[in-house]
């Protein structure tokens, strides 16, 4: 008989979710356990439905921009920018150069506050609440600057099809510079606290490993992919807005650590370094920012009339804080889209949970789950109900329903 106590135990099942103190949004996990070790992991999203796509297909693109801001409360400008880019391609609208720079600056401030929010959540999942409050306190500087520039702390409402709704005023630039210097001065402190703390190292090093091959096979995006060594970033691979004018390189953990392990610790490294990268990107924008208009068509009535003449389809993409966001839009000569589909970055990253979790300890579930910075509200957008009954549908059935819906809207 084996002396290993783990081998003597009978495997058992542990359900976590859909609501649980360790989960910030509803998702259902099921773990097959052998003692404290996870033998098999599975999860079921789909607990949050708001029908945003359905609502959008009954509204004009100007109204949809307000909906896209609300797909995610943390990275709203990412969705509104991706949607606006899709519409601009369909309508062949040339966005003013200055508007591209304004978009880039707001997007990078959003990345700063998003990564700092995540860092606080990660600290909380480790039981380090002092660090949670520190990171959330310093995040306020970015939130205050975003409010100064857009008028809102969340749901900024700055993006419009063809540009942005407002320009920066001369008196706002000193405040931007002050915020950039604030985070430059803070860089070494944050890196030391997170990366040199023995407890964080012991909890996160070689925990929740996602190999390069698994990251590639599962089509992960954003910091989750880069932390496993994938050299990919939409801002570099497919430049848009002002990114094509700027010097940007994807952040990989070996640039700081000298190696890439693809663990929770590397995901911390990538996001903290991207805060400093965003500061540098904003500085480059300020140095090169051109003069001029910030909206291609300032008259709303004329813009709405152009929607009715728009025909075609396009993909809008943006490197959100969590990774690539895609918006597919199709217009068929009506004021509202015939089709609008959203693929948030979390949708691409959720499957990476499986290889990260299997083989790990039950106590590490919270930090591993949080390490991809999941957003379930981004992922779940619509519920399909047939004859008052819910059920599981095949890919073919979903496609057939989508085709039928498109035909009805086009009729």
């Amino acid at each position: 008989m084996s002396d290993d106590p783990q081998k003597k135990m009978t495997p058992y099942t542990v359900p976590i979710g859909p609501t649980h103190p360790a989960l910030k949004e509803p998702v259902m996990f099921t773990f097959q356990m052998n003692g404290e070790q996870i033998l098999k992991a599975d999860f079921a999203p789909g607990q949050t439905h708001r029908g945003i796509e359905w609502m959008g297909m009954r509204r004009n693109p100007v109204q949809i921009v307000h909906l896209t801001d609300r797909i995610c409360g943390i990275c709203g400008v990412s969705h509104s920018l991706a949607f606006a880019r899709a519409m601009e391609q369909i309508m062949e609208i040339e966005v003013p150069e200055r508007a591209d720079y304004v978009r880039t600056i707001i997007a990078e401030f959003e990345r700063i506050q998003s990564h700092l929010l995540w860092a606080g959540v990660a600290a909380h999942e480790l039981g380090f609440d002092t660090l949670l409050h520190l990171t959330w306190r310093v995040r306020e500087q970015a939130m205050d600057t975003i409010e100064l520039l857009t008028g809102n702390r969340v749901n900024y409402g700055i993006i419009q099809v063809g540009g942005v709704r407002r320009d920066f005023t001369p008196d706002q630039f000193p405040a931007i510079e002050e915020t950039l210097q604030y985070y430059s001065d803070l860089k070494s402190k944050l890196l030391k606290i997170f990366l040199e703390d023995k407890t964080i190292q012991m909890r996160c090093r070689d925990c929740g490993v996602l190999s390069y091959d698994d990251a590639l096979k599962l089509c992960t995006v954003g910091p989750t992919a880069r932390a496993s060594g994938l050299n990919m970033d939409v801002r570099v691979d497919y430049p848009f807005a002002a990114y094509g004018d700027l010097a940007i390189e994807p952040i990989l953990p070996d640039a700081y650590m000298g190696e890439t392990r693809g663990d929770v610790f590397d995901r911390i490294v990538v996001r903290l370094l991207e805060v400093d990268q965003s500061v540098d990107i904003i500085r480059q924008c300020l140095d090169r920012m051109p003069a001029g208009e910030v909206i291609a068509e300032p008259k709303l009535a004329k813009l709405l009339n152009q929607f009715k003449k728009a025909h075609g389809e396009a993909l809008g993409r943006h490197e959100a804080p969590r990774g690539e966001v895609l918006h597919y839009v199709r217009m068929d000569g009506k004021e509202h889209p015939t089709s609008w589909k959203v693929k948030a970055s979390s949708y691409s990253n959720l499957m990476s949970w499986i290889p990260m979790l299997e083989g790990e300890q039950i106590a590490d579930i919270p930090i591993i789950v949080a390490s991809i910075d999941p957003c379930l509200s981004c992922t779940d957008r619509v519920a399909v109900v047939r004859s008052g009954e819910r059920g599981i549908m095949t890919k073919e059935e979903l496609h057939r329903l989508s085709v039928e819906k498109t035909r009805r809207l086009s009729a």
Side-chain angles (χ1 to χ4, degrees):
M1 182 178 293
S2 173
D3 293 330
D4 188 347
Q6 293 284 343
K7 294 183 179 179
K8 298 178 183 178
M9 295 183 179
T10 302
Y12 60 98
T13 301
V14 175
I16 298 180
T19 57
H20 188 275
L23 301 174
K24 300 302 178 287
E25 292 181 272
V27 60
M28 184 66 200
F29 285 96
T30 304
F31 298 99
Q32 298 294 324
M33 306 294 302
N34 182 28
E36 295 289 306
Q37 188 180 42
I38 303 169
L39 297 178
K40 187 176 181 180
D42 195 9
F43 68 95
Q47 316 292 327
T48 305
H49 292 298
R50 297 172 293 165
I52 282 183
E53 288 176 349
W54 185 90
M55 289 188 288
M57 291 170 65
R58 286 148 181 82
R59 286 162 171 78
N60 67 57
V62 172
Q63 295 169 322
I64 294 175
V65 170
H66 291 284
L67 287 178
T68 59
D69 259 348
R70 287 151 179 81
I71 290 176
C72 178
I74 305 302
C75 50
V77 80
S78 299
H79 288 282
S80 56
L81 178 52
F83 174 79
R85 292 191 65 232
M87 285 300 307
E88 288 153 6
Q89 292 174 66
I90 294 171
M91 301 173 65
E92 299 181 349
I93 294 176
E94 185 174 347
V95 177
E97 192 176 5
R98 184 175 178 87
D100 277 336
Y101 276 78
V102 172
R103 287 178 169 186
T104 301
I105 289 171
I106 297 299
E108 293 307 314
F109 269 124
E110 181 175 78
R111 195 179 315 276
I112 291 172
Q113 64 88 4
S114 177
H115 282 349
L116 290 175
L117 181 143
W118 174 85
V121 170
H124 171 70
E125 301 294 9
L126 294 170
F128 200 163
D129 280 358
T130 301
L131 190 50
L132 158 70
H133 295 297
L134 170 65
T135 52
W136 281 25
R137 178 174 63 83
V138 300
R139 172 177 176 260
E140 285 298 302
Q141 183 77 20
M143 298 298 290
D144 289 344
T145 305
I146 291 171
E147 183 178 16
L148 173 69
L149 299 176
T150 70
N152 299 287
R153 287 169 58 87
V154 294
N155 308 141
Y156 315 134
I158 186 71
I159 303 295
Q160 175 59 290
V161 176
V164 292
R165 294 178 181 275
R166 62 170 71 181
D167 196 359
F168 298 158
T169 59
D171 61 302
Q172 290 175 334
F173 286 97
I176 297 174
E177 293 284 1
E178 181 182 347
T179 298
L180 299 179
Q181 189 59 48
Y182 176 81
Y183 286 116
S184 293
D185 295 341
L186 195 65
K187 175 186 175 182
S188 59
K189 180 178 181 179
L190 283 178
L191 290 176
K192 181 177 181 179
I193 293 174
F194 273 97
L195 304 184
E196 297 182 19
D197 183 88
K198 294 298 182 183
T199 301
I200 293 179
Q201 291 177 0
M202 292 172 65
R203 289 293 308 276
C204 299
R205 253 312 178 206
D206 299 319
C207 172
V209 174
L210 180 68
S211 69
Y212 177 95
D213 290 339
D214 282 341
L216 186 62
K217 178 177 66 177
L218 295 170
C219 301
T220 54
V221 295
T224 301
R226 292 190 282 275
S228 293
L230 270 64
N231 192 338
M232 56 185 294
D233 189 317
V234 178
R235 297 171 297 175
V236 177
D237 301 331
Y238 305 95
F240 57 96
Y243 291 112
D245 300 336
L246 311 176
I248 309 173
E249 291 291 335
I251 299 292
L252 301 177
D254 60 2
Y256 185 83
M257 303 300 299
E259 62 176 340
T260 297
R261 300 189 191 181
D263 53 14
V264 173
F265 195 81
D266 280 350
R267 285 166 220 137
I268 296 174
V269 172
V270 169
R271 288 188 175 92
L272 290 181
L273 292 180
E274 285 189 358
V275 170
D276 187 60
Q277 182 189 48
S278 291
V279 169
D280 179 65
I281 290 172
I282 295 171
R283 282 204 170 108
Q284 291 186 58
C285 286
L286 295 179
D287 291 341
R288 304 182 182 199
M289 196 165 187
E293 301 296 326
V294 294
I295 188 73
E297 179 48 70
K299 294 184 178 179
L300 183 59
K302 190 174 181 180
L303 183 62
L304 293 175
N305 189 53
Q306 290 177 8
F307 294 150
K308 299 176 182 178
K309 302 176 182 178
H311 286 81
E313 58 186 352
L315 275 175
R317 59 204 314 188
H318 171 61
E319 182 71 22
R322 296 175 173 95
E324 182 185 50
V325 164
L326 284 174
H327 280 242
Y328 167 80
V329 182
R330 178 183 176 88
M331 298 291 288
D332 286 326
K334 296 185 177 181
E335 192 175 90
H336 55 76
T338 303
S339 182
W340 173 38
K341 292 295 179 183
V342 182
K343 187 177 80 68
S345 42
S346 291
Y347 192 87
S348 302
N349 288 332
L350 293 184
M351 288 304 299
S352 65
W353 273 334
I354 304 301
M356 289 181 192
L357 287 163
E358 292 180 351
E360 299 293 346
Q361 299 294 304
I362 192 171
D364 293 324
I365 291 173
I367 185 58
I368 294 174
V369 169
S371 70
I372 71 168
D373 193 10
C375 179
L376 279 308
S377 292
C378 289
T379 306
D380 300 335
R381 296 175 303 278
V382 64
V384 178
V385 180
R386 296 184 299 177
S387 302
E389 297 181 0
R390 286 178 176 269
I392 297 175
M393 285 181 287
T394 65
K395 176 182 177 181
E396 290 73 21
E397 288 177 309
L398 283 171
H399 178 70
R400 178 177 55 80
L401 286 174
S402 178
V403 170
E404 290 175 355
K405 179 178 65 175
T406 300
R407 287 173 178 170
R408 288 196 303 271
L409 289 172
S410 300

